Amino acid sequence: MAAPIRHVGHSIRRNGLIVLNNFEQLRGHRSFGWTSALRQQAVETKQDAIESIVIPRKKTWSKEAVLEALASTVGRDTTAYPYQFQDDPYLSPRTPNEFKLYYLSKESGRSAAKYFINNNPKFFTKDFAGPHIPCLMPETVSLLLEEVSEEALKERISLRKVQAAIDMYDQLLQAGTAVSMETTHDLLDLICLCGDRDPEQDGITHHITSLCVEQESGEKRGRRTKLRRDLEIQKTPWRENNNAERIFNLLPERDTRCYSALIRGMVKFEACEKAFSMYTDLLNNRLAADVHIFNALLTAAPRVRETHSERWELITELLTEMNQQKIQPTLMTFNSVLKALRRCGSMAKTKAPQILSEMKAVGVAPSLATYDHILAIFYKSGKEQHTDILKEIVSELEGESFTCQDPGDVMFFTSAMKICLDNKDLELGYKINILVEVGENWRLLGDPYQKSIYYGRFFNLLCLMEHIDVVMKWYRQLIPSVYYPNPQGVKDLLQALDTDSRLDLLPTIWKDICSMGHDNKLDLVEEVLSLMAREKQSPEVQESFAVCALEIKKVFDPDRSRPGLEWSTSSLSNITFLLLRVNKMQQAWEMLQLFKSNNRVPSEALLQNFLSACQSNGSPQTAVGLVQLSAAFCLPETPKLAKRALAEFDLTEEQSIRLTTIQFYTFIGT
């Protein structure tokens, strides 16, 4: 029966297809009552549709398109170390200190290689890279033109040879050769940018050096960074009558560009009063300023006025003059105003919304630095406040990918996460982290240290507010691929384990502490021991705690390759408690001997617990030794221990006489 039915179904399906094809052909030939005019209109419409088809042009792909497409399919490997350390597995850092050391080493090696390549280009003429990678090829760093000419001056300017360019300019003037105004502009820009001195050959020296500091709280680090920046500025101040001013005064005609170079240089090197004096001179010469001059003066406004109201009056005056001179403000203009408002006290909260409205009116889109200034104005560090403004900002930025438009852009994510941490807003913290992961927004986290601050705050927020299972998921995802926790970060994790009663994970965390190089932090070691010894756990967990305690004991060993930690009473007591709970009497007795050798005194609770363990294990000899040890310390609890030992243990006559003697002399002494 099955075969005939299958043949019938196949026949029906085939006949149905034939009927449909015939119907389509019939519908194509019949007019359904159309007139000739309607038929002609339909034909013309069809012809117009055919003529409107545009064949797209051939797409020209860049040489990096394939690499970019492949890169877009690969995400961050959470189990791998940062990318810069994957060339040599031996140089994979395990600790924050190793991260800084290896990072500095690689940057130093890269700088040395670049220096050698640039100074010996004849040895590096072949280009093996495909597509071409310009940064791998030698750069022209040596002077090729020796004759006194304007072309030689341009060459020195392009190579940033400040002193050589100044010398060439002076030689041209002595030879009576006129220098074009465009070249003079470039020379003034170079001198004012570099502070009238040759820049360092390694342009990243200061950046690398700033990374080589101990990890500490963001606020303390911020003060140190500002202090170091101030010291650097004091080392290279704006000198009176320097080469920039000398060349400026020698010019027969001075235009706005010349004034712009000097004013920006003076503001950069903290000669703000002189910058405003130069601006007054520009106005007296009936010249119009440019937007760069106003941006620099707006940044310098808080440094030349004392009170908040005076600073705002100066800012308003500059903006009014800018409007009178019909100069269109840029993003940097508004960011400079907002940055200055941060030093204008409480009035900034009323003025900042006006600045944002003006930005919207002139069609200037804010950058991340704009929002960072807004957060700094409305949120005070360390205080719990409403996060409505930050929520509105994050909602507006949600899903967007950013490019750096202002040097201050790299501060936004760190500041936003700090506000989430201060207000314990976990949901908002998640949204900010999602925004970081959009496209290449992670590049705007800043340098490695700034990046560690961001992830440290995010991880701290998770430890405070999230369930421990989720915390551990993030812990494995962030470490060590993007974050090396400092001791405070590990303490936050220990607190989260304690809050959710997951102390069974402590032995695993201790292994990570050792791998991250934090096992030399006494407070962190004592925190781990305190958590393990505080409460009695299941037999399996207690056994793992005892093994972990013996591992922790090794960090106090002075025979290690690095100096051992100093024993404290709490660390000795906690390890002894942990060993007693799993009946490791021999190791516990060795710990008691360490009390005496390190001049530490055991507590009464520890001695009573030890005596109970001796009773459970039937060790009268150990009990007698315990009482003798207590007597050696001259502890007031010695008579109680001796009395209990005499009552609870089956002692020999010699042991009983010894304990009775100890009890008697201790009683007489008291």
Side-chain angles (χ1 to χ4, degrees):
M1 284 297 292
I5 292 175
R6 184 168 61 252
H7 287 301
V8 170
H10 178 70
S11 176
I12 293 174
R13 180 176 178 274
R14 182 183 60 188
N15 294 336
L17 292 174
I18 294 174
V19 171
L20 288 174
N21 290 334
N22 292 336
F23 178 74
E24 293 291 339
Q25 294 177 4
L26 180 63
R27 187 177 63 176
H29 290 295
R30 295 189 62 180
S31 62
F32 293 100
W34 283 8
T35 63
S36 58
L38 291 174
R39 190 179 299 110
Q40 180 65 25
Q41 183 178 356
V43 172
E44 291 177 355
T45 303
K46 185 176 181 180
Q47 290 178 351
D48 292 340
I50 295 175
E51 293 175 357
S52 63
I53 295 176
V54 178
I55 300 176
R57 296 180 180 180
K58 180 180 178 181
K59 175 114 177 129
T60 302
W61 297 96
S62 65
K63 295 181 179 180
E64 297 83 10
V66 176
L67 294 175
E68 292 173 353
L70 292 174
S72 65
T73 63
V74 180
R76 177 174 58 85
D77 185 0
T78 58
T79 63
Y81 290 94
Y83 176 76
Q84 62 262 39
F85 302 114
Q86 295 180 10
D87 295 337
D88 188 349
Y90 181 76
L91 293 179
S92 296
R94 300 178 298 106
T95 68
N97 289 333
E98 286 185 359
F99 173 85
K100 289 182 285 188
L101 177 62
Y102 295 167
Y103 182 80
L104 294 174
S105 300
K106 293 203 70 170
E107 291 294 339
S108 177
R110 182 179 290 109
S111 300
K114 197 69 176 176
Y115 176 82
F116 185 82
I117 291 174
N118 291 338
N119 286 275
N120 300 274
K122 60 183 179 181
F123 299 119
F124 305 92
T125 56
K126 293 185 179 180
D127 186 4
F128 297 97
H132 173 66
I133 304 177
C135 65
L136 297 182
M137 298 304 294
E139 299 176 0
T140 303
V141 295
S142 58
L143 300 175
L144 302 178
L145 302 177
E146 296 296 338
E147 72 277 4
V148 179
S149 64
E150 186 170 341
E151 291 300 322
L153 175 59
K154 291 180 179 179
E155 180 191 41
R156 283 153 177 77
I157 293 174
S158 64
L159 296 178
R160 294 194 174 188
K161 305 286 187 180
V162 178
Q163 194 57 49
I166 294 172
D167 294 340
M168 181 60 66
Y169 182 83
D170 291 338
Q171 293 177 27
L172 287 172
L173 292 185
Q174 292 174 4
T177 304
V179 180
S180 66
M181 186 58 73
E182 182 180 356
T183 305
T184 305
H185 290 160
D186 294 338
L187 177 60
L188 287 174
D189 287 340
L190 176 64
I191 298 173
C192 295
L193 174 66
C194 300
D196 196 13
R197 61 172 185 155
D198 285 317
E200 297 181 7
Q201 291 180 345
D202 183 6
I204 60 174
T205 302
H206 288 305
H207 172 68
I208 296 174
T209 304
S210 66
L211 301 178
C212 192
V213 292
E214 289 297 327
Q215 291 196 16
E216 48 192 299
S217 66
E219 292 75 20
K220 184 177 179 182
R221 172 66 171 87
R223 291 193 294 269
R224 290 185 59 183
T225 302
K226 185 178 185 302
L227 177 61
R228 184 172 62 252
R229 188 188 306 119
D230 293 341
L231 291 175
E232 289 177 356
I233 291 173
Q234 291 175 8
K235 291 178 182 177
T236 58
W238 182 267
R239 293 185 295 107
E240 289 288 337
N241 300 318
N242 59 12
N243 286 306
E245 294 186 25
R246 180 177 62 83
I247 293 174
F248 178 82
N249 293 328
L250 291 175
L251 293 176
E253 294 182 3
R254 303 156 195 165
D255 57 6
T256 301
R257 176 79 180 276
C258 297
Y259 280 97
S260 177
L262 263 72
I263 290 174
R264 285 185 286 169
M266 291 172 179
V267 172
K268 178 180 179 181
F269 293 98
E270 298 292 326
C272 300
E273 293 284 356
K274 197 161 189 175
F276 276 91
S277 176
M278 184 66 67
Y279 173 67
T280 303
D281 186 46
L282 177 142
L283 297 179
N284 292 336
N285 290 327
R286 298 185 178 182
L287 294 174
D290 59 13
V291 68
H292 304 295
I293 292 177
F294 281 107
N295 292 347
L297 294 177
L298 288 168
T299 303
R303 305 173 195 168
V304 296
R305 295 292 185 271
E306 294 296 332
T307 65
H308 297 160
S309 59
E310 290 177 349
R311 292 171 181 175
W312 175 245
E313 289 176 3
L314 180 57
I315 293 172
T316 306
E317 180 182 341
L318 289 172
L319 292 175
T320 303
E321 293 178 4
M322 193 174 183
N323 184 42
Q324 292 174 352
Q325 298 180 30
K326 301 186 183 303
I327 296 176
Q328 187 70 16
T330 63
L331 172 64
M332 295 301 296
T333 305
F334 291 106
N335 284 353
S336 298
V337 175
L338 290 172
K339 185 177 180 180
L341 276 176
R342 295 172 64 168
R343 300 178 60 180
C344 290
S346 58
M347 69 165 53
K349 293 185 178 181
T350 59
K351 305 301 180 182
Q354 301 176 13
I355 302 301
L356 291 178
S357 301
E358 187 67 20
M359 289 183 71
K360 185 177 181 180
V362 299
V364 176
S367 69
L368 292 181
T370 309
Y371 295 120
D372 179 62
H373 297 320
I374 294 296
L375 295 179
I377 290 172
F378 284 92
Y379 292 98
K380 297 300 181 182
S381 177
K383 294 183 179 180
E384 186 173 348
Q385 305 167 78
H386 294 294
T387 58
D388 296 339
I389 296 177
L390 180 56
K391 288 179 180 178
E392 186 176 347
I393 292 174
V394 173
S395 176
E396 184 176 347
L397 300 178
E398 188 174 2
E400 292 188 20
S401 182
F402 308 102
T403 56
C404 189
Q405 305 177 65
D406 186 302
D409 287 349
V410 297
M411 301 300 298
F412 170 75
F413 290 116
T414 304
S415 302
M417 190 57 69
K418 186 176 189 329
I419 294 173
C420 295
L421 178 60
D422 291 341
N423 293 274
K424 298 179 177 58
D425 194 331
L426 180 61
E427 181 181 357
L428 187 56
Y430 275 130
K431 289 183 179 180
I432 293 173
N433 193 65
I434 291 173
L435 184 60
V436 169
E437 294 175 350
V438 173
E440 294 190 345
N441 290 347
W442 58 271
R443 295 184 182 275
L444 296 177
L445 290 177
D447 60 29
Y449 182 81
Q450 195 74 14
K451 189 176 179 181
S452 70
I453 291 178
Y454 168 81
Y455 282 111
R457 289 171 177 172
F458 179 52
F459 186 69
N460 189 1
L461 180 62
L462 292 172
C463 292
L464 288 175
M465 306 301 297
E466 192 58 273
H467 189 269
I468 188 60
D469 293 334
V470 181
V471 173
M472 293 305 297
K473 174 185 173 183
W474 280 101
Y475 177 78
R476 298 304 176 195
Q477 184 174 345
L478 297 177
I479 301 168
S481 58
V482 296
Y483 174 51
Y484 288 88
N486 56 13
Q488 183 58 47
V490 179
K491 287 182 181 179
D492 295 335
L493 177 61
L494 295 178
Q495 184 179 358
L497 292 173
D498 186 19
T499 302
D500 287 345
S501 301
R502 288 300 308 275
L503 299 181
D504 56 295
L505 297 175
L506 285 175
T508 303
I509 300 301
W510 172 252
K511 293 180 180 179
D512 294 339
I513 290 174
C514 293
S515 67
M516 290 184 290
H518 293 320
D519 54 344
N520 60 347
K521 308 296 190 300
L522 182 59
D523 56 340
L524 190 59
V525 174
E526 290 186 344
E527 180 72 17
V528 175
L529 289 173
S530 175
L531 290 174
M532 290 194 297
R534 188 179 60 191
E535 298 174 354
K536 196 170 183 178
Q537 307 289 334
S538 63
E540 297 81 6
V541 175
Q542 285 297 156
E543 187 65 34
S544 65
F545 281 1
V547 174
C548 182
L550 292 176
E551 290 295 324
I552 294 176
K553 179 184 174 184
K554 296 178 181 178
V555 305
F556 294 91
D557 187 359
D559 295 333
R560 304 176 75 207
S561 57
R562 59 182 179 180
L565 299 179
E566 183 179 356
W567 283 108
S568 64
T569 302
S570 61
S571 56
L572 286 168
S573 300
N574 289 330
I575 293 179
T576 307
F577 272 123
L578 292 170
L579 295 174
L580 289 175
R581 287 173 183 171
V582 294
N583 294 322
K584 293 183 181 291
M585 299 298 297
Q586 182 59 36
Q587 292 92 330
W589 179 254
E590 293 174 359
M591 293 301 302
L592 279 182
Q593 304 307 312
L594 290 176
F595 276 93
K596 188 174 183 179
S597 60
N598 289 276
N599 297 321
R600 298 290 185 265
V601 180
S603 63
E604 180 183 1
L606 176 61
L607 297 177
Q608 293 289 354
N609 274 273
F610 204 110
L611 194 60
S612 299
C614 293
Q615 182 184 10
S616 301
N617 287 273
S619 304
Q621 183 62 36
T622 307
V624 173
L626 179 66
V627 176
Q628 290 176 329
L629 182 65
S630 176
F633 281 112
C634 300
L635 297 179
E637 298 83 9
T638 304
K640 297 180 182 178
L641 294 174
K643 181 179 179 181
R644 182 181 169 190
L646 288 170
E648 298 179 1
F649 288 88
D650 186 12
L651 303 174
T652 64
E653 183 178 355
E654 181 183 356
Q655 291 172 341
S656 299
I657 294 174
R658 192 181 307 169
L659 290 181
T660 303
T661 304
I662 292 174
Q663 186 179 15
F664 174 75
Y665 281 107
T666 307
F667 177 77
I668 294 298
T670 57

